Amino acid sequence: MGFPWQKGISSLANMDLFIGDLHMPFTEEVKYSMLGISVILFLIALGIMVWQLFRYFSQTLREPVDEFISSDSQPAKTGVFYKETQNPNVMAEANLKEAQRLSRGLSMDSHLELPSLEDQEQEEEVKGSLRFSLFYDKVQSRLVVTVLEARELPLRDFSHGVDPFVRIWLLWAGHEREEERGLGSSPSLCCVLHEWQSRMVKNNSNPMFGDQFSCSLEGRDVPHITVRFEVRDFDKFSRHGILGEVRVHLCDMKTSYPLEFLEDLQTPQKDLVGEVLLSLKYLHTLQRLEVGLLKIRAPQQSSKKEKALYARISVLCNQFKLRHQKSTVKTRWKVTAFNEVMMFTLPDPQIRECRIVVSVYEVYAANKSSKRLVGQVAFGKTKSSQDEHWSLMMRSVCQPVAKWHPLLI
């Protein structure tokens, strides 16, 4: 008979032997592989943490340099630029206030210059003709537009064929709107009443269309109407090519009976349908471009349905779209205020040859799925030219510069 403490010692010894006999059901290679994977994952996590800390401290230390540069070139608000990188909302608010302050000195009666033909989408020599008919029914107050055919359209070099269709715009341009703006010699401001599109005819340089369109139109508005026909080449994978256009002003014509026309295609021109107030600001040290969408002025026809506007701002470099952002949807007025700032990160090589395209769309407030392009603004810097607004932005370090731009279609 032994003592109780001797029994406890013997049980502990048996337990040690039992634990020592246990073995993991893995080979040595598997164990070392698992250990290596664990070490790699740990190093990756450590590297990510170090990189985030480096970015945080580098951005914090860069801001005094920004303030030093702005104070040497022109007076700047000390303290504002240090805070704006810490809080994007404060930055956007400061930019909007500064841009609105600058825009107070800008008059909407200022002269707007339309882009030259070098900025148009026309790439080839204009050839061919278009046959169509116009008729205004005074009894029913309806304008009937019929697209009959196109003749001798040029073949495209890259496809050795052409898939033509016709887009039609009904433009209204009256003296009342010109007097409101005091344009004088500036281009008249147009309003798009209706927009139609014919069917597409595949691989035919002499297509027959036979499409008819009609709309209600008051007799007093007929002298102010311009019908614009634009013949395009359908492209499934890119933007449609423009082959030429025909314009007919109804003020000098008697359309009380059907009139048939055969007109040669002319070089396409843009129509002024509004103005957009934009502000630009570029932070060199942060390599960040800030585009402020402040106001959009675009006349509209009276409608019972409530309409809204939104803008899509795209940044292009060497004709390739880098990135884009959309604004919020705002109820459409004669002058629609947005007051929004959109930020784009652009390294120095990209900012040297960069273009900004602002596309304005109209939607119905009840049905926002269907949209219509109101017009576009395109400006920036290329190898051959540089926009005035772009030059002012590059010279104004860390200061937003506001300017009105023509909205074209």
Side-chain angles (χ1 to χ4, degrees):
M1 174 179 267
F3 295 99
W5 58 270
Q6 293 179 343
K7 294 181 179 180
I9 292 175
S10 62
S11 62
L12 288 174
N14 294 331
M15 187 179 296
D16 292 339
L17 292 175
F18 178 73
I19 294 175
D21 293 337
L22 290 178
H23 293 283
M24 296 294 292
F26 300 109
T27 61
E28 294 294 331
E29 291 79 4
V30 175
K31 292 179 183 179
Y32 284 113
S33 300
M34 295 173 62
L35 179 61
I37 293 173
S38 303
V39 172
I40 292 174
L41 293 176
F42 173 75
L43 293 176
I44 292 175
L46 185 62
I48 293 175
M49 183 182 68
V50 172
W51 171 246
Q52 294 296 332
L53 289 174
F54 172 76
R55 289 185 58 189
Y56 173 77
F57 286 109
S58 62
Q59 290 182 1
T60 305
L61 293 175
R62 279 178 181 176
E63 280 307 311
V65 179
D66 260 350
E67 188 175 351
F68 176 76
I69 294 175
S70 61
S71 63
D72 287 345
S73 57
Q74 58 182 4
K77 299 177 182 178
T78 58
V80 174
F81 301 108
Y82 178 79
K83 294 179 182 178
E84 59 188 22
T85 55
Q86 306 292 332
N87 190 345
N89 295 329
V90 176
M91 176 199 61
E93 184 178 357
N95 290 343
L96 287 175
K97 289 181 179 179
E98 185 67 19
Q100 290 171 354
R101 181 184 66 81
L102 295 173
S103 65
R104 293 192 188 103
L106 296 174
S107 171
M108 296 191 68
D109 300 335
S110 59
H111 179 72
L112 293 175
E113 296 182 357
L114 297 182
S116 62
L117 293 180
E118 295 177 357
D119 297 333
Q120 306 292 335
E121 298 178 3
Q122 185 69 21
E123 299 175 355
E124 301 175 357
E125 184 181 357
V126 178
K127 297 179 182 178
S129 58
L130 181 68
R131 190 165 72 94
F132 57 93
S133 67
L134 299 174
F135 169 61
Y136 180 69
D137 189 345
K138 293 184 178 180
V139 178
Q140 300 183 359
S141 298
R142 295 190 69 83
L143 178 66
V144 181
V145 181
T146 306
V147 182
L148 299 175
E149 63 173 330
R151 298 178 181 178
E152 299 178 355
L153 297 179
L155 302 180
R156 307 287 282 183
D157 293 336
F158 59 90
S159 62
H160 303 288
V162 61
D163 300 330
F165 68 94
V166 181
R167 295 197 69 176
I168 307 165
W169 284 274
L170 208 63
L171 304 175
W172 194 99
H175 299 291
E176 294 96 351
R177 287 194 175 97
E178 294 184 17
E179 292 174 358
E180 285 179 6
R181 299 173 67 249
L183 285 172
S185 61
S186 299
S188 60
L189 190 63
C190 299
C191 176
V192 179
L193 299 182
H194 293 280
E195 183 178 347
W196 302 298
Q197 180 173 313
S198 72
R199 63 188 181 91
M200 185 264 294
V201 180
K202 290 185 67 65
N203 197 21
N204 195 334
S205 59
N206 297 281
M208 301 291 294
F209 295 104
D211 295 328
Q212 189 175 89
F213 310 94
S214 64
C215 65
S216 299
L217 189 66
E218 298 294 334
R220 63 177 180 271
D221 292 331
V222 173
H224 303 288
I225 295 298
T226 298
V227 185
R228 171 182 164 189
F229 300 87
E230 192 173 80
V231 182
R232 295 191 173 191
D233 176 33
F234 180 82
D235 193 337
K236 182 178 180 180
F237 303 101
S238 182
R239 63 181 181 181
H240 306 311
I242 300 179
L243 302 178
E245 72 167 25
V246 173
R247 291 173 182 262
V248 178
H249 304 282
L250 302 187
C251 57
D252 301 328
M253 297 185 181
K254 297 180 180 180
T255 56
S256 57
Y257 54 91
L259 295 177
E260 187 172 306
F261 301 84
L262 178 61
E263 300 287 340
D264 292 333
L265 297 180
Q266 305 296 326
T267 302
Q269 301 290 334
K270 297 290 185 180
D271 290 291
L272 179 65
V273 294
E275 299 165 309
V276 181
L277 179 59
L278 299 172
S279 69
L280 294 180
K281 176 181 175 182
Y282 184 66
L283 298 176
H284 294 270
T285 55
L286 295 180
Q287 297 183 346
R288 185 172 65 205
L289 175 65
E290 299 175 4
V291 182
L293 177 64
L294 304 181
K295 297 178 182 179
I296 295 178
R297 174 188 172 129
Q300 61 172 330
Q301 59 175 337
S302 58
S303 176
K304 297 181 180 179
K305 296 182 179 181
E306 184 179 357
K307 298 180 180 180
L309 293 177
Y310 76 91
R312 175 191 176 106
I313 300 180
S314 305
V315 177
L316 292 81
C317 182
N318 294 329
Q319 298 183 351
F320 289 97
K321 185 180 296 184
L322 298 179
R323 51 188 65 87
H324 69 271
Q325 294 187 34
K326 291 183 181 180
S327 70
T328 57
V329 180
K330 300 283 187 178
T331 303
R332 182 170 184 175
W333 302 97
K334 186 176 181 180
V335 178
T336 307
F338 285 85
N339 296 330
E340 299 180 13
V341 174
M342 304 178 189
M343 306 177 192
F344 302 91
T345 302
L346 291 178
D348 187 69
Q350 293 180 354
I351 199 68
R352 293 179 182 177
E353 293 184 13
C354 176
R355 287 183 64 83
I356 297 176
V357 178
V358 181
S359 304
V360 180
Y361 293 94
E362 178 188 73
V363 295
Y364 287 103
N367 182 19
K368 297 181 180 180
S369 59
S370 61
K371 63 180 180 180
R372 182 183 70 87
L373 178 64
V374 177
Q376 287 185 326
V377 175
F379 63 98
K381 182 180 179 182
T382 60
K383 293 182 180 179
S384 58
S385 63
Q386 181 172 342
D387 184 79
E388 178 186 1
H389 196 187
W390 196 265
S391 302
L392 292 174
M393 177 196 69
M394 298 304 292
R395 291 199 300 264
S396 302
V397 181
C398 297
Q399 290 287 343
V401 180
K403 189 176 183 296
W404 286 98
H405 289 266
L407 187 64
L408 306 176
I409 191 171

